[in-house]
Structure formats: C-alpha cells, structure tokens
Amino acid sequence: MNSAASRERISVSLAADKRELALTLAKQDSVLRRDLASRLSGEHLAVDLKQWLSTVSAPSSVTAVAGRADLTIRQRKGLERELDSLLQLRLASASMLPALKRGVEPLYAYEPDGNDSQWQFIEAFDRLGGVHHLDVHRMPEQPVLVVDIDSRRDLAAGIKLMRERLVALGQRPMPLQPVSAAATSTPVTMLDRIYLNDDEEPWISGDAEVYAIVNGVDPSRDEPQLDIVDMPYLDKDGRTYSPNQVLIFWDRYRWAAANVVLMEHDDNTNYQELVSHLFTIASQILTALGHPEISALVALGSGLVDRMPSEWFSNDDDYVDSYYTVEKNHFYTNHGGARGNAVVSLRPYEIAGQ
C-alpha cells in the first residue's frame, strides 16, 4: 500500500461531522444552555453528548444529528464495537465557567482536521448560526463549547485494539498486571518521573493524552516486538509526574535493550490501522537488515519515527519524543529524549514471582 493510501486509512477525517453538530447545537443554545451550565463544574468540564441529549428537551432532529455523527466517527476510528458513544461537549477552559453560569452566550466550535501549524483560525458558531473566526493560540474570553471526542475513552479503547491486533500478528500478549505469575522474578524498567515541555498546542485541543510505543526485537525470532503502554495520568505539559509505572518488560526484548517512542493521542487516528502499519514498517526494517544485530535496534527506533510524521499523521505534534537503546539494569536520571521535548527518570526493578 502506498503512503497516501496508508495515511488515508490511519488518519481519518472527522471535522465535517463535528462542524455540522457544532452548528446544530449552537442554533439550540437557548434550549440547551441552562441545563448544560448546571451540569458543568471545575472538575467536570464536559458532558457525554448522547447521554446528555437524552435527558433534555432537545428537538429530535438535534438528537438525530448527534447520534449519526457519533456513530460515523466511531466507525471511522474502528471503535463502533468498543464504545457506544464517543462525542462530548466540552467547555474549552475552566476559566470560562463563571461567565457561562452567569448566562453569557457561548460559541460552539470544533477542532479542524490537518496540521495545527497550518490552521488559520478556529471556526465557531453563535446561536443565530453566525460564523466567528477565533485565534488559534489565544484562548477566547467568551465561553466556547467544543464538540469533541472523549479522548481518554478513545485512547483507552484504541490501546486495547492495538494490543489485540499485535497478538493477532503473532506477538505474545503484553502483561496487563504488574506482578508476574512465574516462580522467578521479572526484570522491568520503571518510569519514576516524566516531564513534558510546553508544546504550545492550540487551546481547542484540550489536555494531552500520551502513550508509549516500546519497540525492539523479539528474543526468540527475528521479528519486531512492539508494546503499547498507556499513560493516563499524563495530561498536562510543563508539569512533573511521578507514576512509578512499569514501562518495559525485559523478557520481551533481545539484547536487553529497547526503544521508547512517546506519542500523543490524535482524534483522527484509526488505531488498528496505525499499529498494523507500525508492525509492517518494523518488519520491513528488520528484513532489510538481514540477521539483526544490536545495531538494528537504533535503525528500528529511528526508522519508525522517521516514517510516522511524514507518511501517516496530519499533525506532527502527535510524535512527542523518543529514547533509543534504553538498556536493562541501567538508571536514567533526568534523561532527555532525542527530540528534546520530554525528560524522564528510569530505574531497573525486579518484580517478585508468586
């Protein structure tokens, strides 16, 4: 499959459906706003659209548009069997909540498709259907309600599908529990601390959702080994997190070394297609090298990164950072990534067997 076809299958277009729904909701603002404002708080800035619309006096036409958009988006992302709803209506910032509760008229917006560096404005609608062009990087003072997907649920379901797809491609299932059932101890590397620099993403994108693709060579065959590690706590740039999380299970990697690629959730990603192509590209890299030696590890990690932004993603910021040739039994303290966007502290650990 050529790169254009690959990109079309992996990065799906969602903006048109979000736009239609944002305009539809904006025109019903007088009906919906008071109930919505009563449901939002500083801790909960979003509502599940499907669930919420079933409890308010919205016209059936609005519910139909929302239901159709939600189903279409789940189908494009390959999640229709995993989730029964995905769309949400989210207040862009907690700072807007007091004004919304006072009755200040909001705008209804959506995140455009494509590379955010090329966005000229954020399109939003008022209650009369009027179009407003908002600054991409400057947070608006007027309340803005964003038609968006629930990124946490989306990524969790996507990671589940990626892991299932890797098993279907012949990999052993990734350990889901941090304790081994084996009689002997299990060597791992723990992620003690992680810090992401401020990437100046547009305000409309909301919090970050980050995951890791640990990659290397299978210990028993000349095939790539890919593990997907969720990082659900990592939602803000410019903040240090101390997750004490298992990042690498060393019995899954040859030469006691692996690469780690950090990725940020992208609304437009079909995760099953993504991981299939990751595995294909990794297999092609190893095949081209013949019988892989330790030097193949760097070629594998850098090769995956080189191919990601240029061929698959519409927004290069989805690639956060990468760490090449992370070794077993090594400590890494305040260790910067190849892109200079993340700093981690890693330590070796032995999980005792039962």
Side-chain angles (χ1 to χ4, degrees), residues 35-347:
D35 183 85
L36 176 64
S38 70
R39 294 172 186 262
L40 300 182
S41 67
E43 293 74 33
H44 301 284
L45 292 176
V47 294
D48 181 289
L49 262 172
K50 185 177 179 180
Q51 182 181 33
W52 174 55
L53 288 175
S54 70
T55 67
V56 296
S57 301
S60 58
S61 59
V62 175
T63 304
V65 170
R68 183 171 63 249
D70 194 283
L71 177 59
T72 298
I73 286 173
R74 283 183 285 122
Q75 288 174 336
R76 288 179 183 165
K77 293 177 65 64
L79 297 176
E80 68 271 23
R81 297 182 180 178
E82 302 297 319
L83 300 171
D84 59 6
S85 66
L86 188 56
L87 284 174
Q88 63 178 10
L89 189 61
R90 171 175 55 83
L91 189 63
S93 171
S95 64
M96 300 174 177
L97 190 58
L100 184 70
K101 288 185 177 292
R102 288 197 309 269
V104 175
E105 179 182 335
L107 298 175
Y108 291 75
Y110 64 96
E111 187 176 28
D113 287 334
N115 191 325
D116 63 23
S117 67
Q118 298 175 4
W119 294 350
Q120 297 181 347
F121 53 82
I122 300 298
E123 186 179 37
F125 306 102
D126 60 34
R127 64 183 178 84
L128 299 178
V131 177
H132 299 252
H133 290 170
L134 307 179
D135 188 287
V136 173
H137 292 286
R138 182 179 178 182
M139 181 74 73
E141 295 182 4
Q142 182 176 2
V144 177
L145 295 163
V146 182
V147 172
D148 203 356
I149 69 171
D150 186 330
S151 57
R152 173 89 306 263
R153 295 183 69 214
D154 176 46
L155 181 56
I159 287 175
K160 176 177 178 290
L161 288 178
M162 285 195 285
R163 288 173 172 170
E164 290 174 352
R165 181 58 183 154
L166 287 171
V167 171
L169 290 169
Q171 290 197 178
R172 290 173 293 152
M174 183 180 176
L176 298 180
Q177 299 297 326
V179 178
S180 171
T184 58
S185 61
T186 302
V188 300
T189 283
M190 304 289 292
L191 174 62
D192 279 345
R193 298 173 72 248
I194 182 167
Y195 174 91
L196 299 184
N197 292 321
D198 182 1
D199 58 12
E200 299 183 355
E201 280 208 322
W203 55 269
I204 199 168
S205 297
D207 290 341
E209 297 286 350
V210 178
Y211 62 101
I213 304 170
V214 183
N215 60 91
V217 179
D218 188 285
S220 60
R221 57 181 186 156
D222 292 344
E223 294 286 344
Q225 176 68 47
L226 305 178
D227 286 338
I228 312 298
V229 180
D230 195 5
M231 298 176 165
Y233 51 87
L234 190 56
D235 58 0
K236 300 287 186 184
D237 298 321
R239 178 186 297 178
T240 298
Y241 293 84
S242 303
N244 193 38
Q245 180 183 23
V246 176
L247 184 62
I248 306 173
F249 288 89
W250 285 113
D251 64 354
R252 298 171 69 78
Y253 294 95
R254 192 181 301 185
W255 307 308
N259 306 306
V260 178
V261 178
L262 299 180
M263 300 291 294
E264 186 172 2
H265 164 268
D266 177 7
D267 283 8
N268 298 70
T269 298
N270 181 309
Y271 289 99
Q272 287 192 89
E273 296 291 344
L274 167 62
V275 79
S276 293
H277 283 273
L278 279 170
F279 191 85
T280 298
I281 295 302
S283 298
Q284 290 173 351
I285 291 171
L286 292 184
T287 299
L289 293 170
H291 182 67
E293 302 295 339
I294 183 64
S295 59
L297 194 62
V298 174
L300 177 62
S302 60
L304 287 175
V305 170
D306 288 344
R307 301 286 287 273
M308 282 186 207
S310 62
E311 293 193 7
W312 297 343
F313 293 101
S314 60
N315 183 345
D316 290 357
D317 285 341
D318 297 332
Y319 162 56
V320 177
D321 215 331
S322 50
Y323 295 85
Y324 301 127
T325 321
V326 176
E327 296 183 72
K328 179 182 177 183
N329 296 327
H330 280 233
F331 287 85
Y332 296 87
T333 303
N334 296 328
H335 186 50
R339 195 185 187 194
N341 197 37
V343 177
V344 301
S345 291
L346 309 174
R347 64 181 168 89

